[in-house]
Structures are given as structure tokens and as C-alpha cells.
Amino acid sequence: MSILIDKSTRVVVQGITGNQGRYDTQLALNYGVNIVAGVTPGRGGEEVEGVPVFDTVAAAVADTDANAAVLYVPVSGVCDAVTEAAEAGIRVILATTENVPRHDAVRAVAAARNAGAWLVGFNTNGVISPGKCKIGGIGGDNPDALYPSGRIGVVSRSGGMSAEIAMALKASGHGVSTAVSMGGDRTTGRSMCEYLELFEADDETDAMVIYGEPGTGNEAEVAAAIRSNRLRKPVVAIVAGRFQENHPRGVSFGHVAAMIGDEADSASAKIRLLKESGAEIASSLDEIGQALERRLG
Amino acid sequence: MNLTEDIAKRLMRRFSLPVPDGAAGETAGKVGELAAEFGGTVALKALLPTGRRGKSGLVRLVDAADAESVATEMLGRETELGLVDRIYVEKGADIAQELYLAFSFSDRMPMLTISIDGGVEIEQVHAATPERIVTVPIDPLKGLRPWEAIDLWSRAGLTGRALADVGRLTSRLWRAFVDLDAEMIEINPLAISGAGDLSMVGTMIQIDDGALGRHPELSDFPSQRPDNPRERLVDEANRSNPGGDARYVELDGDIGLLVAGGGAGLLQHDMIVDLGGQPANHSDTSPAPGTAKTEAVLDAVFSNPRSRSLLIGYNHLQMAPVDRVVEALANSVQRNNVDTSKFPIILRLFGPRETEARALADRIGGITYLPSGTSLSEGARAIVEATRKIVAEHGEGAKT
């Protein structure tokens, strides 16, 4: 196993005729990914890298049984593209677009959840289950070098940091079951904890490494799940951004709505919560290997 | 982006939402004139795009006749919230009851926060009696209909004639929240007069920066531009080159940073601070196509009088070619006449087209391009040491 994607994943690429869509499609095909369709409205009937292009996701699904979608669409179209994929019955939707306006983002998240789809992103560079499948640009032109296969699950709020973590794992003799760049935007389709719950249930994952940052309730939710034993497998956490606490940036709105949400928002607060819950804290990438050894023996 | 109150209220009027009459003045004379027009009691509010003004003495209720002299005291004051250079003059409101009303976001949902205990003490209400504040998520696909808002206010304890009006106003404000792409709208107080009329006396609006592109009517308020000339330079590059924005914020240290990918930037910054180094700025640039924004950040670093060195520290790039970054560096080094023997530049830059990037860095000369596989912490250590050395050799203060 692995989480979200494996050998049975059939990928449709929304926006396949654009530069990034075409480039990533080519790299994914080289990696052996089963890309069965592309979608660009008005370009139905064409082919890109040998992949048939359709006008709508529904048409692509009807013809190819695609069950995962990768979106390379501009920010103005991303909410519609997620909703279209979700309603066409796609199970895993990866939205690479960054800085998606909040209102669009929450609408897309709600549409995906209502349809029972798993939305990864926004601002993700992908998900990789080494040796089985990858969606998005994750791993670049050499996924095998960056992401050797193994038994550690990775969930990162930064796409680049998922690669850095994978390299640190490799250096300490570990590999990856699935690595997820969950999205760097404030609003993401799923929370960090929801990914960890998938890893908890995955019999090919022994432990998880997470990368967190200031802002959002993601890390606090993980700490709560560890405390309540919903997560029993070891979690190694690296949380960046402590320096921000020394530099109050201007003065923000003194509003109750933000006050309620901000209590656990700083990197230090997150590190404290995770540590208290029993997670292993790595203060640099080089410490990840030792932290895993402490817990896995 | 936080809007100042004059702009926020102008927008609210456009949505037919009730706000008191008011206008902005830049001189005490103008403030006096406006106050005389309104007559009676007027509110003078320092036009700073922040909350907590009431608590900082930046909102004064005065008789119209005294407005000019009070404005003289307020204008030009340097406060912890910023320089007071404009005053919003507002007709005094008849307030019988104060409510609190705000729309904002949790990680994944829009949120409504309401209370019948509005006013400047709302934070204390939250601390002492949190049950007096009702917070509920709003389904973004359905919105907030008037009868739903009425039900929520009823749960918050509002009764009587005001309930229907407040509910309808709340639903209308939801539409404004969506249409303006606001990240936050806070009405405090939402005043109910003795006669039962509603007025949004305190109105704060924060627009989602990520949505400014589709609101040309909001994107060009001069007061929103950064004061720091180098931050402004980067801001201008962002405005003239759409797509992922570059961020550049100046700090007090001496290590210039061009870091990217969010995560690696944060982590390197933490490591530098832990090693005793002091960044001159924080930055976050997308390695996306086009070098204009990268060059703007580099120009800012090189022209910042405090910076003495530069670390270009990226994640291992998976999608974008790294030689574009070195190209930007070459251009900026030349444009700013940087002497690399006195201004150490260290690169941790791995990924596609790295060979080309290394060749280009060699041609610039005097650059330390760390070997492939160097960790983020080793990169942080290298720049802290190089900076220490250059400061020891050439002294603190202005660079040569």
C-alpha cells in the first residue's frame, strides 16, 4: 500500500496543453505514471505526448475511467476546475495553483468534500508513492534520486521541504512510502492530520515526518490526535519560522475573530504542543534520522 | 491589505449598508470645516489601517467647535500604530446598544462572529465570558441567508424589533464580504440608535491580497504602498509582473537573504538566528518564469545600506531551472557595482540546469557556490561565518 495514489491510479491532467502541464506530463510518463487523459476545453480530439485530450473532465472520465486529476490552471479558473473534477467523480484532485483567493479556495474545498473527493493543495508540487505513481511535478526530472522507496510517510506544508526531508531520510538510510506536499496556501483541501490518519492506517508506513510553519491549526490538530491516541505511529516534526516571533510585523487588526484562531499560531507554540503530545522534534533536517532511530529502534 | 476607514466606509455605502456621514481631512483647518458641516458632536479618528485605535486615544469624541484644535494635537503624532497624517471626521452617532459583527476565515471555512456585547471592550468580553460570543462556520456554497442570520442573532441573545434588521444587514454584509474578496470585515460597534436605526460605526476591512488582481478599483490606494524605498521597489516589480509575488521585508541585521520556496526560507532564517547571525531582510520569491522579481529583490538587498552579504538559499528545485536565478544575480551584481571581494555571496542552489548555473556563477567571480548536497544548516553556517569575517575585516557601518 501507500496513501492516495498507487499502481491503480489513472490520471487526467486538466490544462495539459499549457507549458507546465505538458512538461510535467512528459516527466510523469517517464516515471511510468498512468496518465490516461488530458482536458483543455476546445482542444478535444488532440493528443499531448500521446495522451488523448478531452473538452471536459466528465468526457475524459467516461472514456478513460480516470480517478485522479492534476490541475495546471490559472488562479482565475481553479475553483471551477476543482468543482468540475469533483462532480465528474474524480477521487483525488491535486491543485498546484498558488495564492488562490480565500473565497475561491473555501468554495473549492467545500465542493470537493461534498463530492467525497480528496483535494490536495493549493500550492502543492505533488504527491509521490515511489515506484508506483506520482501526481504533480514532485521529484522533478529525477524522482528516483530524490524519493527512494521506503516505509516513512511525509506530509509537508512546503513542496520544496518535502524534497529536503526525503534527502535527509535517504542520507539516514530510510525511504518514503508516500510523500505529500499538502499545499502551502493557508486554505488546503485537507488538514495535515487527515493525511496522518491515512498513514496510520497504511500497513506499509512505520512512521511519519511532518514539516510545519506558523499559521493555520494544522500542527495543533496533529498534536491533539497524538495525545488522544488517534495517531499511534511515531511522528517526527520539523517546524520552521520561529524567527518571526522576534519581528512583530506592523500591527494587525485587533479583532476577536483572529484572536480566537491565533493562540497556537506561532512556530514555538506548535513545537511546544507537538513535543508535549509525544511527537519527536527535529530542529534541523540532519536530526530527522536520529529522531526516527529513537522511535523505531 | 487593510483598508483605511474612509475607504472601507465608502465601499459599504456602495453596498447600501448604513454608515455614519463622514469625510477625511489632512489639515486641522479642513477637519474643523468638516466638523462644522456635521455640527454637534463629531468623532475624529486617526486614519490608520489598524484596530485598537479607540484604546490608543486615536479616536476622540468632541464638540464640532473644538474639532480644529483637537485635530492639531492629533495630526503629525507618531504613534505605535503609525504616523497620523489624516483624520476621518464623522457625524456623532446616537448609540443605545452596541453589537459586534465580523466575517473572517478559519483554515477551511468562512466564519461569522457575533455578540450583543459590542464596543471597545470586546476583547475583555471574549476573555471573561466567551459564551457571549457566537462563532459559526458559514457554508461558502450556500452563503448566509437573512433568516439564517436572524436565527444566529437570536441564539446570540438579540431580541425584539432590531432582530430582523440586524439579520438582514448581516446577510447583506456577507454579500459584501464575498464580492469584495475580503479576508476580514469587522463591524464594532454595530450601533442601534434610540429610534432603532442601525449604523456601522466602526468598520474595518481587510482585502485578500491574493484577489487584488481582480479588483483594480481597490489595488491602487497610495496609502497602501510600503514606506521603505527598497520594499517599494519590490512592490512595484510585483505590480508590473503579474503572477506569484516576491516578498521582501527589511529587518535590522546585516545578512541579505534571497530565499525561496517558503519552507526553506523560514528554516534557513531560523538557523541563521540560532547561529547568532542577523538577517537584513526576509524574502520569499517563487522560482517561476521571469527574473524581474528576483532581480528586484537582489537590487533591494544590494542597495540596503545595512546588508553586508547575501545568501541565495533555495530548496532543491524540482520544477524550475536554477540558472535563471544566477542570471538574475549576474544582472543585479553588474547593475549595483557589487564588489564580491567585500560583499560575500553564497549560493545553495540545486536542481535542473545546475551545471549551466555553476558556469555562469564562475563568470561573475568571487561567488561561493556550495557543492551539491550541502545541507541547509551548512549553508546557514557558511553565510554567518562569511559575514562575521567581512565585518571584522572592514568594520561595522557603511559598506565600501
Coordinates of all heavy atoms in Angstrom, one line a residue, chain A residues 31 51 91 202 205 263:
Chain A
Y31 N 8.2 8.5 -15.7 CA 8.3 7.8 -14.4 C 7.3 6.6 -14.4 O 7.3 5.8 -13.4 CB 7.9 8.8 -13.3 CG 8.1 8.3 -11.8 CD1 9.4 8.0 -11.4 CD2 7.1 8.2 -10.9 CE1 9.7 7.6 -10.1 CE2 7.3 7.8 -9.6 CZ 8.6 7.5 -9.2 OH 8.9 7.1 -7.9
V51 N -1.2 11.4 -25.2 CA -2.3 11.3 -24.3 C -3.5 12.0 -24.9 O -3.4 13.1 -25.4 CB -2.0 12.0 -22.9 CG1 -3.2 12.0 -22.0 CG2 -0.8 11.3 -22.3
R91 N -11.6 11.0 -7.6 CA -11.4 10.8 -6.2 C -10.3 11.6 -5.5 O -10.4 12.0 -4.4 CB -11.1 9.3 -5.9 CG -12.0 8.3 -6.6 CD -13.5 8.6 -6.3 NE -13.8 8.6 -4.9 CZ -15.0 9.1 -4.4 NH1 -15.8 9.7 -5.2 NH2 -15.2 9.0 -3.1
D202 N -2.1 2.8 7.0 CA -1.4 2.2 5.9 C -0.3 1.2 6.5 O 0.6 1.6 7.2 CB -0.7 3.3 5.1 CG 0.2 2.7 4.0 OD1 -0.1 1.6 3.5 OD2 1.2 3.4 3.7
T205 N 3.5 1.9 6.1 CA 4.2 3.1 6.7 C 4.4 2.8 8.2 O 3.5 2.4 8.9 CB 3.2 4.3 6.6 OG1 3.0 4.6 5.2 CG2 3.8 5.5 7.2
E263 N -4.1 31.6 18.8 CA -3.4 31.3 20.0 C -2.3 30.3 19.8 O -1.2 30.4 20.4 CB -4.4 30.7 21.0 CG -5.1 31.9 21.7 CD -6.5 31.5 22.2 OE1 -6.8 30.3 22.3 OE2 -7.3 32.4 22.5

